[in-house]
Amino acid sequence: MKQPHPLLATWHRHLALERRRSAHTVRAYVASAERLLAFLARHQGAVPSTKTLAALPATDLRAFLAHRRAEGLGNASTARELSAIRAFLKFAGGEEATVPPIRGPRVKKGVPRPVSPDDVIALGEDVAENAAEPWIAARNWAVLLLLYGAGLRISEALSLTGSDVPAHETIRITGKRGKTRIVPLLPQVREALAEYAALCPYGTGKAEPLFRGARGGPLDPAIIRKAVREARRRLQLPERTSPHALRHSFATHLLGRGADLRALQELLGHASLSSTQIYTHVDAAHLLDIYRNAHPRA
């Protein structure tokens, strides 16, 4: 059995401990590095050394990307792979690294589409009504309200613990890269959390996960995604209606009501304002939809 390249373990530690990347990003970036190392071992006929990686020829990197494209990688996935590989080569080569200046494929940036407030409520009610038990109904309703009413990522909502209830007017959220932010909670969200906490048969220990699965373990986000998918089908809502779409809708609806872009950036926990600016395009697209549907000359 082949031993993994020693650089993979140090790359993993660098991403997880020094860069404080999310578990998902760490897995993806390490997998990209592992694929590159395996390809180079075949392509060059030897296990690549740190010196080899520091001066990797552009032809070899292009050959790797062509190999990945032949495996069926699309433009967006290829661009992400190239970004991960660039970061790895800089890390592996240190100060001596000269990363080939290869441009990735052009990726058309998608614009997230909001879900209407009425559809959000209908979705939440349907998910709750079709739950197996009352406490699960209360749990699902509370999770979805945190996504739409507070703009949380599903991972952020499911990271809450018993110490977060009873909820106050604001809540401290730890998001990507360990960045914390203060998020206000609407009365409806606080009430939903309180109802769930009162019904949960497993209690709400201060250091324990707040949201529990049917058997008492931490709630798997796949359970919420499945419940939303099934409700979407029953209600005949668009395919874009997903848990993450509720966070997009939170942002879009706030922007449409005059929210400041910088304030929205803080609420969403975006490190860069450019990540938030996409919602200006969302709002424009929404207005265009209304225009096309309502204007007699459209």
Side-chain angles (χ1 to χ4, degrees):
M1 183 176 178
K2 292 183 179 180
Q3 293 295 320
H5 197 290
L7 267 177
L8 292 175
T10 54
W11 178 227
H12 186 286
R13 285 196 297 272
H14 172 73
L15 291 169
L17 302 180
E18 296 178 29
R19 298 298 304 276
R20 300 178 69 184
R21 296 287 189 170
S22 70
H24 175 79
T25 299
V26 172
R27 283 195 301 271
Y29 273 44
V30 170
S32 293
E34 190 172 16
R35 285 190 289 268
L36 175 69
L37 292 170
F39 173 82
L40 292 177
R42 296 190 303 270
H43 187 68
Q44 298 178 341
V47 176
S49 65
T50 301
K51 186 176 181 180
T52 301
L53 295 171
L56 186 70
T59 52
D60 285 1
L61 185 52
R62 287 195 183 96
F64 169 71
L65 293 176
H67 168 71
R68 294 290 287 139
R69 292 300 289 255
E71 292 182 330
L73 228 61
N75 282 358
S77 296
T78 301
R80 287 194 294 269
E81 185 92 328
L82 179 57
S83 176
I85 291 305
R86 281 178 178 143
F88 173 65
L89 291 176
K90 287 180 182 177
F91 169 80
E95 294 181 358
E96 303 299 320
T98 55
V99 180
I102 294 177
R103 295 181 63 179
R106 296 187 64 179
V107 180
K108 185 177 180 181
K109 199 164 187 178
V111 177
R113 307 293 289 174
V115 182
S116 74
D118 288 344
D119 285 347
V120 171
I121 298 303
L123 181 76
E125 290 176 345
D126 188 272
V127 167
E129 288 168 3
N130 285 277
E133 298 181 44
W135 77 270
I136 294 179
R139 178 200 70 190
N140 293 353
W141 177 251
V143 170
L144 295 183
L145 276 190
L146 283 168
L147 307 186
Y148 178 67
L152 302 192
R153 302 176 177 93
I154 191 168
S155 59
E156 293 169 345
L158 299 191
S159 71
L160 299 183
T161 65
S163 62
D164 293 308
V165 291
H168 302 291
E169 292 186 353
T170 60
I171 190 169
R172 182 181 294 274
I173 296 296
T174 300
K176 289 185 175 181
R177 303 185 189 180
K179 183 180 178 182
T180 62
R181 67 188 190 276
I182 302 298
V183 176
L185 293 181
L186 296 169
Q188 297 93 323
V189 179
R190 300 200 300 271
E191 290 167 9
L193 288 171
E195 182 179 357
Y196 162 69
L199 292 175
C200 180
Y202 301 107
T204 52
K206 296 299 182 184
E208 297 294 324
L210 175 61
F211 293 110
R212 307 294 191 93
R215 297 183 179 179
L219 178 59
D220 188 333
I223 300 297
I224 297 297
R225 293 191 181 102
K226 180 182 178 183
V228 169
R229 190 165 58 247
E230 291 174 348
R232 180 181 69 206
R233 187 177 62 250
R234 286 191 294 267
L235 297 173
Q236 298 185 357
L237 294 175
E239 288 291 321
R240 66 175 182 269
T241 307
S242 65
H244 199 64
L246 300 186
R247 173 173 153 90
H248 286 317
S249 301
F250 163 85
T252 304
H253 297 159
L254 282 184
L255 189 64
R257 289 176 172 266
D260 177 75
L261 204 59
R262 284 286 183 187
L264 191 58
Q265 177 190 359
E266 289 297 321
L267 287 173
L268 293 171
H270 285 161
S272 167
L273 186 63
S274 62
S275 299
T276 314
Q277 285 174 332
I278 189 172
Y279 291 105
T280 61
H281 303 302
V282 173
D283 198 49
H286 182 55
L287 290 175
L288 189 57
D289 284 345
I290 294 173
Y291 172 83
R292 285 172 175 164
N293 291 329
H295 198 284
R297 299 286 184 182

